[in-house]
Amino acid sequence: MDSAAAADRDLFPAPRSEVFRDQGKFRTRFNFPGRNLPDHDDHGYGPLSTVVESFMDPGTLIRMHQHRDEEIVSWVPAGVMRHDDREGNELVTDAEHLLVMNAGSGFWHAEETLANDPPLRMLQIFVRPHDLGLEPGIQHGPLPDPEPDEWRRVFAPAGSDHQFTVRNAVDCHDVRLDAGAGATLPDVEGRDAYVYVFEGSAEVGDAALSETESALWTGEGAPPTVTAGDEGATVVAFLVNPDAPVTRQGTIGR
């Protein structure tokens, strides 16, 4: 899609991020939602700071380290991510489970894959909280089973009637689309949408996106439909209030 046409429709596609860090058995690609907008002076978009695509080979240990003043969601569509922390939790996150670390004033954790685990590819989502020094904590548990071609709500703002929450105005949905199937973006008043194609290819409105490409929709008019390409697609959508008050002192998700 022509970028000028996208701008006219308040839809801003972006290619695969080139911000990639290779640490051998642990590799990360940093996606910055604010960079979809021309001349935007913030790498994040409101409370959604960064969406990190993370890869861990079998037998990888990321040693105990601290996060502060950020909400970190680990979404693992395939593979296994093993979490230990100084609170005594030993948690396994996979396609059926979600992990939300509300780092607040400080939370120490380690991540690991065992030698007999499959290769891990996941998203780690960094949300800016509305205040500094909040109470730290962790949420972990099963996700609802996904339904083909239907959006599943993954997490919601604190105070919502949802099992998994973050402390700012971001909702997250995912969808697994069959080839050629479509699903209209969820519509929440006052929210814009950052859409990330995790697997396959899809059109968001008139913007054709390949795997690991994204689009930012700035919320004017009816939300666009996401339509999968010939091989289907797994897509994640973040509904963001760009005017929400934010802090910007997180360990990673500044």
Side-chain angles (χ1 to χ4, degrees):
M1 179 182 176
D2 179 79
S3 60
D8 288 344
R9 296 191 56 185
D10 301 312
L11 186 65
F12 301 88
R16 173 184 291 186
S17 172
E18 296 182 354
V19 184
F20 188 81
R21 181 181 298 167
D22 188 343
Q23 301 178 70
K25 298 176 73 174
F26 177 51
R27 302 169 300 282
T28 47
R29 175 176 287 109
F30 291 79
N31 300 281
F32 301 116
R35 297 296 184 231
N36 285 55
L37 280 179
D39 303 320
H40 192 58
D41 62 357
D42 181 2
H43 69 269
Y45 191 67
L48 183 63
S49 170
T50 312
V51 177
V52 181
E53 181 189 16
S54 298
F55 304 84
M56 291 175 66
D57 293 342
T60 300
L61 172 64
I62 302 172
R63 298 186 182 279
M64 193 73 65
H65 59 283
Q66 187 188 48
H67 288 270
R68 297 175 63 92
D69 296 315
E70 56 197 2
E71 313 279 283
I72 309 166
V73 181
S74 296
W75 178 84
V76 182
V80 175
M81 192 270 283
R82 302 176 186 275
H83 162 105
D84 297 329
D85 59 47
R86 289 189 175 177
E87 304 303 313
N89 296 301
E90 297 182 0
L91 307 172
V92 176
T93 305
D94 54 19
E96 298 178 351
H97 297 81
L98 192 75
L99 177 71
V100 180
M101 187 164 61
N102 311 101
S105 60
F107 199 96
W108 289 81
H109 79 127
E111 296 165 293
E112 184 177 14
T113 55
L114 301 182
N116 59 350
D117 286 336
L120 173 65
R121 178 183 172 219
M122 65 177 174
L123 293 183
Q124 291 189 298
I125 301 143
F126 289 81
V127 173
R128 298 162 170 165
H130 51 67
D131 286 297
L132 298 174
L134 297 171
E135 183 71 20
I138 197 159
Q139 305 165 49
H140 182 267
L143 283 162
D145 292 335
E147 297 291 339
D149 307 328
E150 293 185 11
W151 292 103
R152 173 179 66 173
R153 197 180 191 191
V154 177
F155 65 80
S160 302
D161 184 18
H162 195 273
Q163 180 181 1
F164 301 108
T165 60
V166 295
R167 291 175 290 198
N168 218 325
V170 180
D171 281 90
C172 175
H173 295 73
D174 64 12
V175 67
R176 287 147 184 82
L177 294 169
D178 294 330
T184 300
L185 279 172
D187 190 9
V188 178
E189 185 176 358
R191 301 291 184 88
D192 297 346
Y194 178 72
V195 183
Y196 185 83
V197 178
F198 185 80
E199 288 184 330
S201 63
E203 290 188 356
V204 181
D206 293 332
L209 304 179
S210 299
E211 187 168 294
T212 70
E213 295 185 335
S214 65
L216 180 67
W217 175 66
T218 56
E220 296 296 329
T225 296
V226 179
T227 305
D230 293 339
E231 298 181 357
T234 300
V235 180
V236 186
F238 303 92
L239 306 182
V240 182
N241 177 358
D243 300 320
V246 300
T247 60
R248 295 185 59 178
Q249 297 185 39
T251 305
I252 292 175
R254 294 170 182 257

